[in-house]
Amino acid sequence: MSTSATPSAERVRVLQRRIRWIVTATIAYNVVEAAVALAAGAAASSAALVAFGLDSTIEVLSAAAVAWQFTRRDPERWERGTLRVIAVAFFALAVYVTASSVWALTTRIEAEHSPVGIVLTALSVVIMPFLSLAERRAGREAGSATAVADSAQTLLCTYLSAAVLVGLVLNSAFGWWWADAVAGLVIAAFAVREGVEAWRGDACATSVGMVLESEH
């Protein structure tokens, strides 16, 4: 027997404000992350770091879409449209990461050692899970599928950060130039799955059900 209860209107407003703050923090971090990753990737000729920087810009798009939704008077009205934006962001990320990974494998791109890239991706592996967990919890309680979908996008960024970090370390330590490209293909497959779920509105089945039940 479920013990969950529908949150009060005041509690929902508190959760919506919390989501806005989390999304704002995510956007700010990803803007800095994108700038540093793109610069470091260009300096080291690293396709993985450049892809990571572009992923950060997609993460900003996703977070900005949720932030915009929660500035509306009735955020629930914009749920489906915002989910579609997040889904498209997932698909765009999958296409780019796949293309860049295949290109790196077929042309045997060997990136230079990048201490900045290693530090940046290591920081992201630590920071992103906290942001994702906080947004997911608030989104589930508030009954927001878009907030939960965006938290999944943030978690995907964590996986991509870990993949790029492993690739950079293996390349630096052992000369395994292909490691980050192979990991990128795995992340791309995950991005497609998350994109399909967001497009269908399946990103938060429990929360959506709670909203529907509250209408009866």
Side-chain angles (χ1 to χ4, degrees), residues 29-108:
Y29 180 80
N30 276 281
V31 167
V32 175
E33 183 182 70
V36 175
L38 290 171
S45 299
S46 171
L49 270 176
V50 171
F52 182 65
L54 291 175
D55 164 70
S56 297
T57 65
I58 293 175
E59 175 67 23
V60 169
L61 170 64
S62 174
V66 176
W68 175 84
Q69 180 196 356
F70 280 94
T71 62
R72 304 298 92 190
R73 189 169 186 176
D74 184 12
E76 291 79 11
R77 273 187 61 195
W78 308 93
E79 191 92 343
R80 181 175 294 275
T82 308
L83 277 172
R84 293 292 172 88
V85 170
I86 294 172
V88 169
F90 273 120
F91 294 143
L93 174 59
V95 169
Y96 181 81
V97 172
T98 299
S100 61
S101 296
V102 170
W103 176 259
L105 288 171
T106 56
T107 59
R108 194 184 172 93

Coordinates of all heavy atoms in Angstrom, one line a residue, residues 29-108:
Y29 N 26.7 26.3 -14.0 CA 27.9 25.4 -14.0 C 28.2 25.0 -15.4 O 29.3 24.9 -15.8 CB 27.6 24.2 -13.1 CG 28.8 23.2 -13.1 CD1 29.9 23.5 -12.3 CD2 28.8 22.1 -13.9 CE1 31.0 22.6 -12.3 CE2 29.8 21.3 -13.9 CZ 30.9 21.5 -13.1 OH 32.0 20.6 -13.2
N30 N 27.1 24.6 -16.2 CA 27.4 24.1 -17.5 C 27.9 25.2 -18.5 O 28.6 24.8 -19.4 CB 26.1 23.5 -18.0 CG 25.9 22.1 -17.6 OD1 26.5 21.2 -18.1 ND2 25.1 21.9 -16.6
V31 N 27.5 26.4 -18.3 CA 28.1 27.5 -19.1 C 29.6 27.6 -18.9 O 30.4 27.6 -19.9 CB 27.4 28.9 -18.8 CG1 28.2 30.0 -19.4 CG2 26.0 28.9 -19.3
V32 N 30.0 27.5 -17.6 CA 31.5 27.5 -17.4 C 32.1 26.3 -17.9 O 33.2 26.3 -18.5 CB 31.7 27.7 -15.8 CG1 33.2 27.5 -15.5 CG2 31.2 29.0 -15.3
E33 N 31.5 25.1 -17.7 CA 32.0 23.8 -18.1 C 32.2 23.8 -19.6 O 33.2 23.3 -20.1 CB 31.1 22.7 -17.7 CG 31.5 21.3 -18.0 CD 30.5 20.3 -17.6 OE1 29.4 20.2 -18.2 OE2 30.8 19.6 -16.6
A34 N 31.2 24.3 -20.3 CA 31.3 24.3 -21.8 C 32.4 25.1 -22.3 O 33.2 24.7 -23.2 CB 29.9 24.8 -22.4
A35 N 32.6 26.3 -21.7 CA 33.7 27.2 -22.2 C 35.0 26.6 -21.9 O 35.9 26.6 -22.8 CB 33.5 28.6 -21.5
V36 N 35.2 26.0 -20.7 CA 36.5 25.4 -20.4 C 36.8 24.2 -21.3 O 37.9 24.0 -21.8 CB 36.6 25.1 -18.9 CG1 37.9 24.3 -18.6 CG2 36.5 26.3 -18.1
A37 N 35.8 23.3 -21.4 CA 35.9 22.1 -22.2 C 36.2 22.4 -23.7 O 37.1 21.7 -24.3 CB 34.7 21.2 -22.1
L38 N 35.5 23.3 -24.2 CA 35.8 23.7 -25.6 C 37.2 24.2 -25.9 O 37.9 23.9 -26.8 CB 34.7 24.6 -26.2 CG 33.3 24.1 -26.3 CD1 32.3 25.2 -26.6 CD2 33.3 23.0 -27.4
A39 N 37.6 25.1 -24.9 CA 39.0 25.7 -25.0 C 40.0 24.6 -24.8 O 41.0 24.5 -25.6 CB 39.1 26.8 -24.0
A40 N 39.9 23.7 -23.8 CA 40.8 22.7 -23.6 C 40.8 21.7 -24.7 O 41.9 21.1 -25.1 CB 40.5 22.0 -22.2
G41 N 39.7 21.3 -25.2 CA 39.6 20.4 -26.3 C 40.3 20.9 -27.6 O 41.0 20.1 -28.3
A42 N 40.1 22.2 -27.9 CA 40.7 22.7 -29.0 C 42.3 22.8 -28.8 O 43.0 22.5 -29.8 CB 40.2 24.2 -29.3
A43 N 42.7 23.1 -27.6 CA 44.2 23.1 -27.4 C 44.8 21.8 -27.5 O 46.0 21.7 -27.9 CB 44.4 23.7 -26.0
A44 N 44.1 20.7 -27.0 CA 44.6 19.4 -27.0 C 44.2 18.5 -28.2 O 44.6 17.4 -28.3 CB 44.2 18.6 -25.7
S45 N 43.5 19.1 -29.2 CA 43.0 18.4 -30.3 C 42.2 17.2 -29.9 O 42.3 16.1 -30.4 CB 44.1 18.0 -31.3 OG 44.8 19.1 -31.7
S46 N 41.4 17.4 -28.8 CA 40.6 16.3 -28.2 C 39.2 16.3 -28.7 O 38.4 17.2 -28.3 CB 40.7 16.3 -26.7 OG 39.8 15.4 -26.1
A47 N 38.8 15.3 -29.5 CA 37.4 15.2 -30.0 C 36.5 15.0 -28.8 O 35.3 15.5 -28.8 CB 37.2 14.1 -31.0
A48 N 36.9 14.2 -27.8 CA 36.1 13.9 -26.7 C 35.8 15.1 -25.8 O 34.7 15.3 -25.4 CB 36.8 12.8 -25.8
L49 N 36.8 16.0 -25.6 CA 36.6 17.2 -24.8 C 35.7 18.2 -25.6 O 34.9 18.8 -24.9 CB 37.9 17.8 -24.5 CG 38.6 17.4 -23.2 CD1 39.9 18.1 -23.0 CD2 37.7 17.7 -22.0
V50 N 35.9 18.3 -26.9 CA 35.0 19.2 -27.6 C 33.6 18.7 -27.6 O 32.6 19.4 -27.4 CB 35.5 19.2 -29.1 CG1 34.4 20.0 -30.0 CG2 36.8 20.0 -29.2
A51 N 33.4 17.3 -27.7 CA 32.0 16.8 -27.6 C 31.5 17.0 -26.2 O 30.3 17.3 -26.1 CB 32.1 15.3 -27.9
F52 N 32.3 16.9 -25.2 CA 31.9 17.2 -23.8 C 31.4 18.6 -23.7 O 30.4 18.9 -23.0 CB 33.0 16.9 -22.9 CG 32.7 17.0 -21.4 CD1 31.8 16.2 -20.8 CD2 33.3 18.0 -20.7 CE1 31.5 16.4 -19.5 CE2 33.0 18.2 -19.3 CZ 32.1 17.3 -18.7
G53 N 32.2 19.5 -24.3 CA 31.8 21.0 -24.2 C 30.4 21.2 -24.9 O 29.6 22.0 -24.4
L54 N 30.2 20.5 -26.0 CA 29.0 20.7 -26.7 C 27.8 20.1 -26.0 O 26.7 20.5 -26.0 CB 29.1 20.1 -28.1 CG 30.0 20.9 -29.1 CD1 30.1 20.2 -30.4 CD2 29.5 22.3 -29.3
D55 N 28.1 18.9 -25.3 CA 27.1 18.3 -24.4 C 26.7 19.3 -23.4 O 25.5 19.4 -23.0 CB 27.7 17.1 -23.8 CG 26.8 16.6 -22.6 OD1 25.7 16.1 -22.8 OD2 27.3 16.7 -21.5
S56 N 27.6 20.1 -22.8 CA 27.3 21.0 -21.8 C 26.3 22.1 -22.3 O 25.4 22.6 -21.6 CB 28.5 21.7 -21.2 OG 29.4 20.7 -20.6
T57 N 26.5 22.5 -23.6 CA 25.6 23.5 -24.2 C 24.2 22.9 -24.3 O 23.2 23.6 -24.1 CB 26.1 24.0 -25.5 OG1 26.0 22.9 -26.5 CG2 27.5 24.5 -25.4
I58 N 24.1 21.6 -24.6 CA 22.8 20.9 -24.7 C 22.1 20.8 -23.3 O 20.9 21.0 -23.2 CB 22.9 19.5 -25.4 CG1 23.3 19.7 -26.8 CG2 21.6 18.7 -25.3 CD1 23.6 18.4 -27.5
E59 N 23.0 20.6 -22.3 CA 22.5 20.5 -20.9 C 21.9 21.9 -20.5 O 20.9 22.0 -19.9 CB 23.6 20.1 -20.0 CG 23.3 20.2 -18.5 CD 22.2 19.2 -18.1 OE1 22.1 18.1 -18.8 OE2 21.6 19.4 -17.1
V60 N 22.5 23.0 -21.0 CA 22.0 24.3 -20.7 C 20.7 24.5 -21.4 O 19.7 25.1 -20.8 CB 23.0 25.4 -21.2 CG1 22.4 26.8 -21.2 CG2 24.3 25.4 -20.4
L61 N 20.5 24.0 -22.6 CA 19.2 24.1 -23.3 C 18.1 23.4 -22.6 O 17.0 24.0 -22.4 CB 19.4 23.5 -24.7 CG 18.1 23.4 -25.5 CD1 17.4 24.7 -25.8 CD2 18.3 22.6 -26.8
S62 N 18.4 22.2 -22.1 CA 17.4 21.4 -21.4 C 17.1 22.1 -20.1 O 15.9 22.3 -19.7 CB 18.0 20.0 -21.1 OG 17.1 19.3 -20.2
A63 N 18.1 22.6 -19.3 CA 17.8 23.2 -18.0 C 17.0 24.6 -18.3 O 16.1 24.9 -17.5 CB 19.1 23.5 -17.3
A64 N 17.4 25.3 -19.3 CA 16.7 26.5 -19.6 C 15.3 26.3 -20.0 O 14.4 27.1 -19.6 CB 17.4 27.3 -20.8
A65 N 15.0 25.2 -20.7 CA 13.6 24.9 -21.0 C 12.8 24.7 -19.7 O 11.6 25.1 -19.6 CB 13.5 23.7 -21.9
V66 N 13.3 23.9 -18.8 CA 12.6 23.7 -17.5 C 12.5 25.0 -16.7 O 11.4 25.3 -16.1 CB 13.4 22.7 -16.7 CG1 12.7 22.5 -15.3 CG2 13.4 21.3 -17.4
A67 N 13.6 25.8 -16.7 CA 13.5 27.1 -16.0 C 12.4 28.0 -16.6 O 11.6 28.6 -15.9 CB 14.9 27.8 -16.1
W68 N 12.3 28.0 -17.9 CA 11.3 28.8 -18.6 C 9.9 28.3 -18.2 O 9.0 29.1 -17.9 CB 11.4 28.7 -20.1 CG 10.3 29.4 -20.8 CD1 10.2 30.7 -21.1 CD2 9.1 28.8 -21.4 NE1 9.0 31.0 -21.8 CE2 8.4 29.8 -22.0 CE3 8.7 27.5 -21.4 CZ2 7.2 29.5 -22.6 CZ3 7.5 27.2 -22.0 CH2 6.7 28.2 -22.6
Q69 N 9.7 27.0 -18.2 CA 8.4 26.4 -17.8 C 8.0 26.8 -16.4 O 6.8 27.2 -16.2 CB 8.5 24.8 -17.9 CG 7.1 24.2 -17.5 CD 7.3 22.7 -17.2 OE1 8.3 22.2 -17.3 NE2 6.2 22.1 -16.8
F70 N 8.9 26.8 -15.5 CA 8.5 27.2 -14.1 C 8.5 28.7 -13.8 O 8.3 29.1 -12.7 CB 9.5 26.5 -13.1 CG 9.1 25.0 -12.9 CD1 9.7 24.0 -13.7 CD2 8.1 24.6 -12.0 CE1 9.4 22.7 -13.5 CE2 7.8 23.3 -11.9 CZ 8.4 22.3 -12.6
T71 N 8.6 29.5 -14.9 CA 8.3 30.9 -14.8 C 6.9 31.2 -15.2 O 6.4 32.3 -15.1 CB 9.3 31.8 -15.6 OG1 9.2 31.5 -17.0 CG2 10.7 31.6 -15.1
R72 N 6.3 30.2 -15.8 CA 4.9 30.3 -16.3 C 3.9 30.3 -15.1 O 4.2 29.7 -14.1 CB 4.5 29.2 -17.3 CG 5.4 29.1 -18.5 CD 5.4 30.4 -19.4 NE 6.5 31.3 -19.0 CZ 6.6 32.5 -19.5 NH1 5.7 33.0 -20.3 NH2 7.6 33.3 -19.1
R73 N 2.8 30.9 -15.3 CA 1.8 30.9 -14.3 C 1.2 29.5 -14.0 O 0.9 29.2 -12.8 CB 0.6 31.9 -14.7 CG -0.3 32.2 -13.6 CD -1.3 33.3 -13.9 NE -2.1 33.7 -12.8 CZ -3.0 34.7 -12.9 NH1 -3.1 35.4 -14.0 NH2 -3.7 35.0 -11.9
D74 N 1.1 28.7 -15.0 CA 0.6 27.4 -14.9 C 1.6 26.4 -15.5 O 1.4 26.0 -16.7 CB -0.8 27.3 -15.5 CG -1.4 25.9 -15.3 OD1 -0.9 25.1 -14.5 OD2 -2.4 25.6 -16.0
P75 N 2.7 26.0 -14.8 CA 3.7 25.2 -15.4 C 3.2 23.9 -16.0 O 3.8 23.5 -17.0 CB 4.7 24.9 -14.2 CG 4.4 26.0 -13.2 CD 2.9 26.3 -13.4
E76 N 2.2 23.3 -15.4 CA 1.7 22.0 -16.0 C 1.2 22.1 -17.4 O 1.3 21.1 -18.2 CB 0.6 21.5 -15.1 CG 1.0 21.0 -13.7 CD 1.2 22.2 -12.7 OE1 0.8 23.4 -13.1 OE2 1.8 22.0 -11.7
R77 N 0.7 23.3 -17.8 CA 0.3 23.5 -19.2 C 1.4 23.2 -20.2 O 1.1 22.8 -21.3 CB -0.3 24.9 -19.4 CG -1.7 25.1 -19.0 CD -2.1 26.5 -19.4 NE -2.0 26.7 -20.9 CZ -2.0 27.9 -21.4 NH1 -2.1 29.0 -20.7 NH2 -2.0 28.0 -22.7
W78 N 2.6 23.5 -19.8 CA 3.7 23.5 -20.7 C 4.5 22.2 -20.6 O 5.6 22.1 -21.2 CB 4.6 24.7 -20.5 CG 3.9 26.0 -20.5 CD1 3.4 26.6 -19.4 CD2 3.6 26.8 -21.6 NE1 2.8 27.8 -19.8 CE2 2.9 27.9 -21.2 CE3 3.8 26.6 -23.0 CZ2 2.4 28.9 -22.0 CZ3 3.4 27.6 -23.9 CH2 2.7 28.7 -23.4
E79 N 4.0 21.2 -19.9 CA 4.7 20.0 -19.6 C 5.1 19.2 -20.9 O 6.3 18.9 -21.1 CB 3.8 19.1 -18.7 CG 4.5 17.9 -18.1 CD 5.1 18.2 -16.8 OE1 5.3 19.3 -16.4 OE2 5.5 17.2 -16.1
R80 N 4.1 19.0 -21.7 CA 4.4 18.2 -22.9 C 5.4 18.8 -23.8 O 6.4 18.2 -24.3 CB 3.1 17.9 -23.7 CG 3.4 17.0 -25.0 CD 2.0 16.6 -25.6 NE 1.3 15.8 -24.7 CZ 1.4 14.4 -24.7 NH1 2.4 13.9 -25.5 NH2 0.7 13.7 -23.9
G81 N 5.2 20.2 -24.1 CA 6.1 20.9 -25.0 C 7.6 20.9 -24.4 O 8.5 20.7 -25.2
T82 N 7.7 21.1 -23.1 CA 9.0 21.1 -22.5 C 9.7 19.7 -22.6 O 10.9 19.6 -22.8 CB 9.0 21.6 -21.1 OG1 8.2 22.8 -21.0 CG2 10.3 21.8 -20.5
L83 N 8.9 18.7 -22.4 CA 9.4 17.3 -22.5 C 9.9 17.1 -23.9 O 11.0 16.4 -24.1 CB 8.3 16.3 -22.2 CG 8.1 16.0 -20.7 CD1 6.9 15.1 -20.5 CD2 9.3 15.3 -20.1
R84 N 9.2 17.6 -24.9 CA 9.7 17.4 -26.3 C 11.0 18.1 -26.5 O 11.9 17.6 -27.3 CB 8.6 17.9 -27.3 CG 7.3 17.1 -27.3 CD 7.5 15.7 -27.8 NE 6.4 14.8 -27.7 CZ 5.4 14.8 -28.5 NH1 5.3 15.6 -29.6 NH2 4.4 13.9 -28.3
V85 N 11.2 19.3 -26.0 CA 12.5 20.0 -26.1 C 13.6 19.2 -25.5 O 14.7 19.1 -26.1 CB 12.4 21.4 -25.4 CG1 13.8 22.1 -25.4 CG2 11.4 22.3 -26.2
I86 N 13.3 18.6 -24.3 CA 14.3 17.8 -23.6 C 14.7 16.6 -24.5 O 15.8 16.2 -24.6 CB 13.9 17.4 -22.2 CG1 13.8 18.7 -21.3 CG2 14.8 16.4 -21.6 CD1 13.1 18.4 -20.0
A87 N 13.6 16.0 -25.1 CA 13.8 14.8 -25.9 C 14.7 15.1 -27.1 O 15.6 14.4 -27.4 CB 12.5 14.2 -26.4
V88 N 14.4 16.2 -27.7 CA 15.2 16.6 -28.9 C 16.7 16.9 -28.5 O 17.6 16.5 -29.2 CB 14.6 17.9 -29.6 CG1 15.6 18.5 -30.6 CG2 13.3 17.6 -30.2
A89 N 16.9 17.4 -27.3 CA 18.2 17.7 -26.8 C 19.0 16.3 -26.6 O 20.2 16.2 -27.0 CB 18.2 18.4 -25.5
F90 N 18.3 15.3 -26.1 CA 18.9 14.0 -26.0 C 19.3 13.4 -27.4 O 20.4 12.9 -27.5 CB 17.9 13.0 -25.3 CG 17.9 13.0 -23.8 CD1 16.8 13.3 -23.1 CD2 19.1 12.7 -23.1 CE1 16.8 13.3 -21.7 CE2 19.1 12.6 -21.8 CZ 18.0 12.9 -21.0
F91 N 18.3 13.5 -28.3 CA 18.6 13.0 -29.6 C 19.8 13.7 -30.3 O 20.6 13.1 -31.0 CB 17.4 13.1 -30.5 CG 16.2 12.3 -30.1 CD1 14.9 12.7 -30.2 CD2 16.4 11.0 -29.5 CE1 13.8 11.9 -29.7 CE2 15.4 10.2 -29.1 CZ 14.1 10.7 -29.2
A92 N 19.8 15.1 -30.2 CA 20.9 15.8 -30.7 C 22.3 15.4 -30.1 O 23.3 15.3 -30.9 CB 20.7 17.3 -30.5
L93 N 22.3 15.2 -28.8 CA 23.5 14.8 -28.2 C 23.9 13.4 -28.7 O 25.1 13.2 -29.0 CB 23.2 14.7 -26.7 CG 24.4 14.1 -25.8 CD1 25.7 14.9 -26.0 CD2 24.0 14.0 -24.4
A94 N 22.9 12.5 -28.8 CA 23.3 11.1 -29.3 C 23.9 11.2 -30.7 O 24.8 10.5 -31.0 CB 22.0 10.3 -29.3
V95 N 23.3 12.0 -31.6 CA 23.8 12.1 -33.0 C 25.2 12.7 -33.0 O 26.1 12.1 -33.7 CB 22.8 13.0 -33.8 CG1 23.5 13.4 -35.2 CG2 21.5 12.4 -34.1
Y96 N 25.4 13.7 -32.2 CA 26.7 14.3 -32.3 C 27.8 13.4 -31.7 O 28.9 13.2 -32.2 CB 26.8 15.7 -31.5 CG 28.2 16.3 -31.6 CD1 28.6 17.0 -32.7 CD2 29.1 16.1 -30.6 CE1 29.8 17.5 -32.8 CE2 30.4 16.5 -30.6 CZ 30.7 17.3 -31.8 OH 32.0 17.7 -31.9
V97 N 27.5 12.8 -30.5 CA 28.5 11.9 -29.9 C 28.8 10.7 -30.7 O 29.9 10.3 -30.9 CB 28.0 11.5 -28.5 CG1 28.9 10.4 -27.9 CG2 27.9 12.7 -27.5
T98 N 27.8 10.2 -31.4 CA 28.0 9.0 -32.3 C 28.9 9.4 -33.5 O 29.9 8.7 -33.8 CB 26.7 8.5 -32.8 OG1 25.9 8.0 -31.8 CG2 26.9 7.4 -33.8
A99 N 28.6 10.6 -34.1 CA 29.4 11.0 -35.2 C 30.8 11.3 -34.8 O 31.7 10.9 -35.5 CB 28.7 12.3 -35.8
S100 N 31.0 12.0 -33.7 CA 32.4 12.3 -33.3 C 33.1 11.1 -32.9 O 34.4 11.0 -33.1 CB 32.3 13.4 -32.1 OG 31.7 12.8 -31.0
S101 N 32.5 10.1 -32.2 CA 33.1 8.9 -31.8 C 33.6 8.1 -33.0 O 34.7 7.5 -33.1 CB 32.2 8.1 -30.9 OG 32.0 8.8 -29.7
V102 N 32.6 7.9 -34.0 CA 33.0 7.2 -35.2 C 34.1 7.9 -36.0 O 35.0 7.2 -36.5 CB 31.7 7.0 -36.1 CG1 32.1 6.5 -37.5 CG2 30.7 6.1 -35.4
W103 N 34.0 9.2 -36.0 CA 35.1 9.9 -36.7 C 36.4 9.7 -36.0 O 37.5 9.5 -36.7 CB 34.8 11.4 -36.7 CG 35.8 12.3 -37.3 CD1 36.7 13.1 -36.7 CD2 36.1 12.5 -38.7 NE1 37.6 13.7 -37.6 CE2 37.2 13.4 -38.8 CE3 35.5 12.0 -39.9 CZ2 37.7 13.8 -40.1 CZ3 36.0 12.4 -41.1 CH2 37.1 13.3 -41.2
A104 N 36.5 9.8 -34.7 CA 37.7 9.6 -34.0 C 38.3 8.1 -34.2 O 39.5 8.0 -34.3 CB 37.5 9.8 -32.5
L105 N 37.4 7.2 -34.3 CA 37.8 5.8 -34.5 C 38.4 5.5 -35.9 O 39.4 4.8 -36.1 CB 36.7 4.8 -34.2 CG 36.3 4.6 -32.7 CD1 35.0 3.8 -32.6 CD2 37.4 4.0 -31.9
T106 N 37.7 6.1 -36.9 CA 38.0 5.8 -38.3 C 39.3 6.6 -38.7 O 40.0 6.2 -39.6 CB 36.9 6.1 -39.2 OG1 36.4 7.5 -39.0 CG2 35.7 5.2 -39.0
T107 N 39.5 7.8 -38.1 CA 40.6 8.6 -38.5 C 41.8 8.5 -37.5 O 42.8 9.1 -37.7 CB 40.2 10.1 -38.6 OG1 39.7 10.6 -37.4 CG2 39.1 10.3 -39.7
R108 N 41.6 7.7 -36.5 CA 42.6 7.5 -35.4 C 43.2 8.8 -34.9 O 44.4 9.1 -34.9 CB 43.8 6.7 -36.0 CG 44.7 6.1 -34.9 CD 45.9 5.3 -35.5 NE 46.8 5.0 -34.5 CZ 46.8 3.8 -33.8 NH1 46.0 2.9 -34.1 NH2 47.7 3.6 -32.9

